[in-house]
Amino acid sequence: MTSELLEKAREFEAEKLRQIQETERPAFHLTGGCGWINDPNGLSYYKGEYHLFHQYHPYSNLWGPMHWGHAKSKDLLSWERLPAAMAPDQTYDNFGCFSGSALELADGRHLLLYTGVQTIPDAPEGKDGRQTQCLAFGDGVNYEKYEGNPVIQPETLPEGCSTVDFRDPKMWQEEDGTFYTVVAGMKQDGNGLIALYKSADALNWEFCGILAESSKQLGGMWECPDFFELDGKKVLMVSPMAMIPKEKEYHVGHTTLAMIGGYDKERCRFEQETMQQIDDGIDFYAPQSLLTPDGRRVMIGWMQSWPNSKFVPDGAKYFGQMTMPRELHIRDGRLIQTPVRELENYRGERVLHENVTVKDQDLMLDGVEGRILDMTITVREFSELECLDILVAANEEYHTSVSFMPAKGLLHIDRSFSGYLYDIVHSRDIPAEPKNGQLELRFVMDRYSLEIFVNGGETTGTAVLFTPLEAQKIIFRAQGTAQMDVEKYELKF
Ligand code: FRU
């Protein structure tokens, strides 16, 4: 039965959808039907299609009572919008249906596990309410909340843990049929923890232990955990709040971490070996992954950062986008990200320029321009190069620059002139060390974003660009001399 609140949201979004042209949206980055979206939720493969839900406040471009928006896709790139899946319509989730995950059950139902937040009169200042984990069962369009909700209470955690910071369950099922979920929690001293639970039927959950915990250096609450096997290792991904930056990495708070290591099943402990920031750009948070039927681990993040998200462009008809799906691997102890291979099916004409010399004058190359594209720049010779600037989404008024400084091993992204009308964070440094005498930069651009993959995805940098679409140029300029190849495909959706 659809509740009145959900019915209202569905009618509202259906009306708003008619007022937004598809060309006002990205071509292949998912946006909400209308209003605000944040974290990707319930990324799953169900009855032969990918489903992606999201944190959703349809009624404004700002965060508000959380619903779950919903879309599905055959290839993770062309999305079909579905009606909102959940509204905060129960006592235990009346403040909001917070983040969670999904999977297909053996009996053919689609199972959602999410955080219900319940308003409590005595919630500590700045906190939302009591957080518990809840279930909903559905058929891929309509979902019924479980009458036995909530199924995991914060009191199952060791004594002294917070009951108002206990959220974002990421669930999976192992081969023997056992369900597991990680959930983010908080200790009395303000440090985050990741709790592990298991269940034989997905209804009755048992606390197994604390998989990992933060220290002040690594931030407070670790939001949106994900825990999976990759290339023979275990990966724990978290999105820490209040992180202390370290040199060039881990910008202040609301950053994302991938920890790679092993797992002691007996002690229920993750054993960290290496750690890195997942994306070094401006807009990336709360990623969630899934295992595709052909065995690939694919991750999608929210293409925003919390501090910047209050600055919504005037007249925006919706706010928030997902990143493009990225395939994950481990190489030399690092998480490697590459655009999902399905992107190649959308490639149009190939434009190739080889052995191009760039000096201090502006250089534009035939056929190298546009806003929806997949372009690889291979810089081969930089012994006399101080800095190579690549300007994208450029015209006389606007540009975003990506500057490669070989001596520093850095790529500096700066969107100060991209048309964003607020003085917020507009630049970041992305590690970019040449390998075997060359540096490879893959730029994936959609109408309102740029995602950069360095050296086959060793590092990445993501930024939303609210640049008017008439800014289509790509300009190269150098201090010193650079030699490069440029291969560019227009993407056709
Ligand atoms: C992360 C987060 C989650 C929470 C959701 C609420 O961005 O704060 O921890 O479930 O957003 O919208």
Side-chain angles (χ1 to χ4, degrees), residues 21 77 80 88 147 159 180 202 225 230 245 252-253 274 284 324 346 405 415 444 463-464 469 475 480:
Q21 308 288 328
L77 293 166
E80 180 190 331
E147 70 272 9
E159 211 178 305
Y180 289 87
L230 186 65
V252 189
T274 59
F284 186 88
M324 75 161 311
Y346 294 94
M405 287 165 271
R415 60 158 190 212
V444 177
V464 298
L469 290 178
I475 300 167

Side-chain angles (χ1 to χ4, degrees), residues 375-396:
M375 171 173 75
T376 301
I377 301 162
T378 310
V379 190
R380 295 195 188 287
E381 173 53 56
F382 34 78
S383 54
E384 288 171 36
L385 177 69
E386 212 172 296
C387 179
L388 170 68
D389 293 325
I390 304 156
L391 274 50
V392 299
N395 65 4
E396 287 60 39

Side-chain angles (χ1 to χ4, degrees), residues 158-312:
E159 211 178 305
C161 290
S162 167
T163 54
V164 291
D165 281 301
F166 181 54
R167 59 182 176 271
D168 308 339
K170 175 72 196 319
M171 142 182 87
W172 70 95
Q173 193 173 15
E174 298 206 344
E175 261 169 27
D176 67 358
T178 310
F179 296 90
Y180 289 87
T181 185
V182 281
V183 186
M186 174 102 102
K187 292 189 298 186
Q188 242 158 2
D189 60 7
N191 279 317
L193 61 87
I194 303 302
L196 181 74
Y197 291 82
K198 70 174 180 185
S199 170
D201 56 6
L203 306 176
N204 301 288
W205 293 85
E206 177 193 332
F207 173 74
C208 305
I210 306 287
L211 196 65
E213 54 208 78
S214 174
S215 70
K216 284 275 180 312
Q217 189 68 33
L218 297 182
M221 187 72 180
W222 279 352
E223 296 189 305
C224 301
D226 197 346
F227 185 55
F228 52 85
E229 192 153 320
L230 186 65
D231 297 336
K233 291 280 178 194
K234 286 282 184 183
V235 179
L236 177 63
M237 295 199 306
V238 294
S239 296
M241 300 169 82
M243 177 107 181
I244 310 285
K246 201 171 170 205
E247 292 170 16
K248 295 261 177 238
E249 279 205 305
Y250 315 127
H251 50 77
V252 189
H254 291 108
T255 184
T256 52
L257 292 182
M259 295 174 253
I260 300 172
Y263 177 49
D264 181 341
K265 208 169 179 171
E266 296 286 285
R267 288 173 54 239
C268 185
R269 279 309 270 191
F270 170 67
E271 294 168 335
Q272 184 200 317
E273 290 161 14
T274 59
M275 184 179 86
Q276 71 186 82
Q277 178 162 286
I278 299 177
D279 188 283
D280 299 288
I282 306 170
D283 300 298
F284 186 88
Y285 197 64
Q288 187 169 96
S289 77
L290 98 157
L291 195 61
T292 60
D294 60 0
R296 291 174 289 157
R297 181 58 61 172
V298 172
M299 170 188 82
I300 294 180
W302 178 37
M303 196 153 56
Q304 255 306 323
S305 70
W306 273 109
N308 288 352
S309 68
K310 283 128 199 134
F311 301 93
V312 179

Side-chain angles (χ1 to χ4, degrees), residues 31 42 73 102 133 181 201 205 269 280 305 344 352 358 419 422 452:
T31 52
S73 169
Q133 315 320 319
T181 185
D201 56 6
W205 293 85
R269 279 309 270 191
D280 299 288
S305 70
E344 286 158 33
L352 179 66
V358 194
Y422 301 98
I452 305 170

Side-chain angles (χ1 to χ4, degrees), residues 36-41 55-56 63-68 97-100 115 117 128 131 165 167-169 184 221-225 239 241 254 285-286 302 306:
W36 158 282
I37 67 167
N38 55 292
D39 314 354
N41 293 157
Q55 291 287 278
Y56 186 32
W63 190 88
M66 280 292 114
H67 296 56
W68 272 37
C97 302
F98 276 20
S99 284
T115 300
V117 185
D128 303 326
Q131 304 189 342
D165 281 301
R167 59 182 176 271
D168 308 339
M221 187 72 180
W222 279 352
E223 296 189 305
C224 301
S239 296
M241 300 169 82
H254 291 108
Y285 197 64
W302 178 37
W306 273 109

Side-chain angles (χ1 to χ4, degrees), residues 61 87 126 129 205 240 350 423 454:
N61 286 333
W205 293 85
R350 177 181 190 232
D423 191 17
V454 180

